[in-house]
Amino acid sequence: MAALALATEQPTRALLERHPFKKDSHLITKVLWRFIFGHSIYQLIALILTLTFAEEWLDMDPEIDPITKRNVTHLTVVFNVFVWMQIFNEINARKVNNERWVFEGIFKNWIFWMIILISIVAQAILIEVG
């Protein structure tokens, strides 16, 4: 769904006035690699910290699944953190050509907001209902 949300973004005047890429240029630029690795490292650190310390940080009562012997509440928090980071990544991924203000024109694309809203509602249903 994130790809659909980003694919519906209308081109801006600055994007249309940009010089074209060379034929032999890479599909993934250095700026895009920096974005990919930066966000991956951020997510790994946040998820490892959540997986390691969330029980004591959030003072959770362990709810152990009798079959898998895993703390279901703790793993639900880890999953929730992961999904919310993906939702915020959709917003950050709107600008990948070294633009600084990711919120520029964010309210002009209603399809993007519908997909974000569907993601949030689906996440709430998954967490609350199971």
Side-chain angles (χ1 to χ4, degrees):
M1 286 200 354
L4 178 62
L6 297 173
T8 60
E9 192 74 28
Q10 294 293 320
T12 62
R13 176 63 56 196
L15 184 63
L16 293 174
E17 292 174 356
R18 186 184 69 193
H19 293 292
F21 292 113
K22 297 176 186 173
K23 281 196 281 187
D24 60 341
S25 64
H26 297 284
L27 183 61
I28 301 177
T29 63
K30 291 179 183 178
V31 173
L32 196 52
W33 278 118
R34 185 181 70 206
F35 178 78
I36 292 168
F37 284 124
H39 195 77
S40 299
I41 291 168
Y42 158 70
Q43 279 196 359
L44 277 173
I45 291 170
L47 288 173
I48 288 171
L49 287 174
T50 305
L51 194 56
T52 307
F53 299 111
E55 279 187 89
E56 61 187 71
W57 285 347
L58 301 175
D59 195 29
M60 289 188 281
D61 294 327
E63 182 184 329
I64 307 299
D65 183 15
I67 297 171
T68 62
K69 308 288 191 241
R70 294 181 178 169
N71 186 345
V72 178
T73 307
H74 183 205
L75 293 178
T76 301
V77 168
V78 173
F79 174 71
N80 200 21
V81 167
F82 173 75
V83 171
W84 278 100
M85 284 193 294
Q86 296 306 314
I87 291 170
F88 289 122
N89 187 33
E90 286 182 44
I91 295 170
N92 286 328
R94 291 180 64 245
K95 306 287 184 186
V96 293
N97 292 319
N98 223 10
E99 298 99 341
R100 297 285 180 209
W101 187 244
V102 295
F103 299 111
E104 180 183 351
I106 197 165
F107 296 111
K108 293 181 181 177
N109 188 354
W110 66 271
I111 298 173
F112 176 80
W113 283 109
M114 289 306 299
I115 292 172
I116 294 287
L117 185 65
I118 290 169
S119 300
I120 291 170
V121 168
Q123 176 64 10
I125 291 170
L126 281 172
I127 295 298
E128 294 300 323
V129 178

